[in-house]
Amino acid sequence: MSSGGVQLSMVRQVLAERAEARLSDAALRLLVEQAVEVLLLVDVTGRVLVFNAEAGRQFRVTAPARVEHGVVPGCAWVRAEDGVTPLEDSPLRRAFAGERVFEERWGLRRPDGTVVVLRGGVFPVSPEGGEAPEAVLLRAREEVPPRLDATRAATLLAEAGALLGAELDAEARLEPLLRLMVPTLADAGVFFLGLAGESVRAAAAVHAEPARHVAMVEMLRRYPPELSDTRGLPAMALSGRTERVALLTQSQQEDVARDAEHARLLLLLGLTSYLGVPLVARGRVIGALALFRTEGAPGFGEEDEQLAEELARRVALSLDNARLLSEAREAVRLRDEFLGIASHELKTPLTPLHLKVQLLQKQVEVLAAHGKPVSAERVSETLEVVQRQVRKLTSLVDNLLDVSRITAGRLKLELEEMDLASVAAEILYRFAPAAAQHHCSLEMHAPVPVLGRWDRLRLEQVVTNLLSNALKYGAGQPVRLTVEADGRMARLTVEDGGIGISAQDLPRIFERFERAVSDRHYGGLGLGLYITRQIVEAFGGSVTATSEVGRGSTFVLELPRGDIPEEWLSVSEPLA
């Protein structure tokens, strides 16, 4: 006889003996509490005679005194297939009508909104020899989802591989990938992206239950990951180790919550176990996959962990490849753009150079044919143009060579003692003719020497780049250069009142080949500020910029003064 048959026989006996007042309520409770199934016994009046501990665990209510219309207070019977559609008639009412159900599946929606699937039967119970049921007995077990077998695991890996191999944006694949894992491998999942130690964000999140999915997305929106909070699950996964928690208790989840509302949303998700797997690409942790199971599901096992790690490995490889492809495409785009600009910039001085030399050659030929000498003034004028264009070509080539040295890590500095204020004043003097051409006044404020150890050639190159930009984009407004000392740091500031730089362009102006203006209206290779930053950082300093469109720009150069005598720090005599 089955265990259910034994229980039914015992309950019949209990009812008969109870009717004869020969069995106490305490004996009845002792009998049914030993059962591992849900046992619910209700008499014809709706009074609850038996409601064992397992029934309390599954219904999530204390033992009710009565059951009306076959429904436990606060709960609802729904279809097991969708967990939403109500049953036309409850199992208990069917049994009161005389129907015997030996094996069936029901969905039970609890007072907290969670749904569990119960598998069991209901039986009308009457004393021996009686016909009309005196009570009905519901016995059931929670239906535990089958473990992920090898075939389903292989199918999941194949479908994930096909999705990751599609020509899509890498991050756009994450949510569809989670929908493959949920509910096959887990009941909920989140992909977190971000390098370990840097900012982390939730890139995709999925929960098997629609209402809880909305709650999960809302929770992640309102409470994004914070690496400073080491209690959070993302921080555990981003440690670079797989984490598996067999049972997530309510207190554990409340402990990681930041406030009461966070705890409410977290508990609403019904999470009972956790598996966190890092996404590792080329030795770097670039994110994490967090998987969760809910009430009624078994905890994650070794096989689940191995499958999740394989999925995470494939996702990390796909994301890293997509990043590398994007960077390669961007590099090709920048290269092509640079080659176009470089060709234009190199051609600009070559054209007048070629025309002047060609014109001089024709004049020489014509004069020679008539036996006349070439005018020294005409030769001098041509040579002046040639010299000016050669200087431009030399500057362009030097910039290209500097970029090559910087990229190869061969930028060498030859340090010597010098005065930054004097270097700046000398360069400002050189720019006087160019400033006159731009109808721009140059101002300098450097009341005291600022002594330090720097590479003169490179320092001149940096100041030249900053002043050249100020004149180029200064729109004829005054350019002001300030040199001052701040302890062991030297500060040089270049201000102009020109066209300015937009907020979206400002962060990228120090990058290679970047331009904040049209190359059609303003020449240059887009290398000057990049080279400036690299030289300054080689000195151990920094260069920053602030700007507002139409109101000019300010570049601030800060340089350590190097290993200098203490008395140099107290120099306060004005410049001669």
Side-chain angles (χ1 to χ4, degrees):
M1 182 180 290
S2 68
S3 62
V6 171
Q7 290 165 359
L8 183 56
S9 176
M10 287 191 297
V11 169
R12 280 177 174 158
Q13 182 182 353
V14 166
L15 287 173
E17 293 177 347
R18 182 182 172 88
E20 298 174 9
R22 293 204 307 265
L23 188 66
S24 67
D25 285 341
L28 177 62
R29 285 196 299 272
L30 181 63
L31 181 67
V32 299
E33 288 302 331
Q34 295 176 351
V36 294
E37 294 180 312
V38 171
L39 289 181
L40 173 60
L41 183 65
V42 182
D43 69 12
V44 290
T45 68
R47 189 161 68 100
V48 175
L49 303 177
V50 173
F51 192 86
N52 69 346
E54 182 63 14
R57 191 178 79 85
Q58 296 296 347
F59 284 85
R60 292 195 178 174
V61 296
T62 56
R66 301 184 60 78
V67 167
E68 302 292 345
H69 309 295
V71 179
V72 174
C75 299
W77 295 103
V78 295
R79 291 188 180 181
E81 290 75 19
D82 60 18
V84 176
T85 308
L87 294 180
E88 294 179 1
D89 207 354
S90 79
L92 295 175
R93 291 187 61 171
R94 289 165 60 188
F96 273 122
E99 183 179 354
R100 297 169 64 86
V101 179
F102 289 96
E103 190 73 16
E104 201 169 84
R105 296 169 71 245
W106 311 293
L108 173 67
R109 187 167 65 242
R110 301 149 163 169
D112 61 4
T114 61
V115 176
V116 66
V117 176
L118 299 179
R119 181 185 291 274
V122 286
F123 308 92
V125 182
S126 56
E128 292 294 339
E131 295 184 1
E134 180 180 333
V136 295
L137 170 69
L138 181 145
R139 64 173 185 81
R141 286 178 180 270
E142 179 184 352
E143 184 177 80
V144 178
R147 292 184 57 155
L148 193 66
D149 57 32
T151 301
R152 294 175 68 198
T155 302
L156 176 57
L157 286 173
E159 291 177 345
L163 181 61
L164 291 171
E167 286 293 331
L168 298 172
D169 174 61
E171 289 196 28
R173 309 171 199 171
L174 295 181
E175 185 169 336
L177 185 59
L178 277 180
R179 295 193 182 279
L180 289 179
M181 300 182 199
V182 175
T184 304
L185 179 59
D187 297 315
V190 184
F191 272 115
F192 295 98
L193 293 184
L195 295 175
E198 298 181 6
S199 60
V200 177
R201 57 189 173 84
V206 171
H207 199 295
E209 297 179 35
R212 285 176 163 177
H213 174 77
V214 173
M216 174 178 274
V217 172
E218 174 66 10
M219 182 191 72
L220 291 169
R221 184 188 68 81
R222 294 175 59 180
Y223 299 94
E226 290 183 356
L227 286 181
S228 58
D229 186 358
T230 56
R231 302 169 303 166
L233 294 177
M236 293 166 59
L238 288 175
S239 65
R241 301 184 306 273
T242 296
E243 299 278 353
R244 180 153 48 104
V245 180
L247 178 62
L248 279 175
T249 65
Q250 178 175 333
S251 61
Q252 284 176 315
Q253 296 181 63
E254 289 174 343
D255 286 343
V256 303
R258 298 174 200 165
D259 54 37
E261 177 61 13
H262 190 194
R264 185 189 72 80
L265 289 171
L266 192 56
L267 293 174
L268 189 62
L269 303 180
L271 310 177
T272 57
S273 57
Y274 161 70
L275 176 61
V277 184
L279 305 178
V280 182
R282 293 188 296 152
R284 297 187 310 162
V285 178
I286 63 172
L289 167 62
L291 296 174
F292 305 90
R293 286 180 178 170
T294 57
E295 312 96 331
F300 291 99
E302 290 286 345
E303 295 177 357
D304 301 318
E305 182 177 316
Q306 291 172 8
L307 179 59
E309 287 179 338
E310 177 60 23
L311 286 166
R313 186 189 67 79
R314 298 186 182 193
V315 171
L317 181 62
S318 177
L319 288 171
D320 195 51
N321 285 341
R323 180 186 62 81
L324 292 173
L325 178 60
S326 176
E327 290 178 356
R329 286 174 174 170
E330 178 64 12
V332 170
R333 185 192 68 79
L334 288 174
R335 182 205 64 188
D336 292 343
E337 182 179 331
F338 166 71
L339 289 175
I341 294 172
S343 299
H344 172 74
E345 288 297 315
L346 290 170
K347 190 176 180 179
T348 298
L350 282 174
T351 301
L353 185 63
H354 175 70
L355 290 174
K356 277 292 183 181
V357 171
Q358 191 179 48
L359 179 59
L360 180 61
Q361 183 181 14
K362 287 183 178 180
Q363 290 174 342
V364 169
E365 290 174 354
V366 170
L367 291 172
H370 292 81
K372 296 181 181 179
V374 180
S375 167
E377 181 181 351
R378 187 167 296 174
V379 173
S380 178
E381 178 188 346
T382 301
L383 291 177
E384 184 179 343
V385 172
V386 169
Q387 190 177 27
R388 186 165 61 246
Q389 302 309 324
V390 168
R391 281 199 299 267
K392 287 184 180 179
L393 283 171
T394 302
S395 176
L396 291 170
V397 173
D398 284 344
N399 279 342
L400 292 174
L401 289 174
D402 280 340
V403 170
S404 176
R405 293 188 189 100
I406 290 167
T407 304
R410 291 186 287 106
L411 184 64
K412 296 182 180 179
L413 302 176
E414 297 181 3
L415 304 182
E416 59 179 296
E417 297 170 359
M418 67 190 69
D419 174 17
L420 178 59
S422 296
V423 172
E426 182 180 337
I427 296 171
L428 200 70
Y429 175 76
R430 294 180 199 165
F431 271 93
Q437 287 183 349
H438 287 85
H439 306 289
C440 166
S441 64
L442 296 177
E443 304 173 10
M444 180 171 177
H445 179 74
V448 297
V450 179
L451 304 172
R453 289 178 56 81
W454 300 291
D455 183 309
R456 178 175 288 274
L457 180 63
R458 294 302 181 185
L459 190 59
E460 289 180 353
Q461 187 176 359
V462 165
V463 179
T464 297
N465 283 342
L466 294 180
L467 277 174
S468 177
N469 271 2
L471 289 176
K472 190 173 185 179
Y473 306 114
Q477 298 299 316
V479 172
R480 179 180 177 85
L481 189 151
T482 304
V483 179
E484 54 194 336
D486 183 7
R488 290 195 168 272
M489 296 296 292
R491 185 179 299 110
L492 182 144
T493 305
V494 178
E495 303 171 79
D496 68 71
I499 62 173
I501 305 167
S502 65
Q504 60 266 30
D505 289 327
L506 198 59
R508 62 183 181 86
I509 60 172
F510 290 103
E511 299 301 322
R512 186 170 45 177
F513 309 137
E514 291 290 354
R515 308 168 61 86
V517 293
S518 168
D519 60 284
R520 180 168 296 184
H521 297 92
Y522 296 91
L525 297 175
L527 293 174
L529 290 179
Y530 168 76
I531 293 171
T532 295
R533 190 191 70 178
Q534 296 297 323
I535 293 173
V536 169
E537 290 180 353
F539 281 134
S542 65
V543 58
T544 57
T546 56
S547 187
E548 186 176 344
V549 174
R551 305 203 50 184
S553 305
T554 300
F555 287 82
V556 178
L557 173 69
E558 292 193 322
L559 294 171
R561 299 171 68 178
D563 185 15
I564 58 174
E566 288 293 328
E567 57 266 23
W568 285 20
L569 301 177
S570 59
V571 172
S572 58
E573 292 297 324
L575 288 174

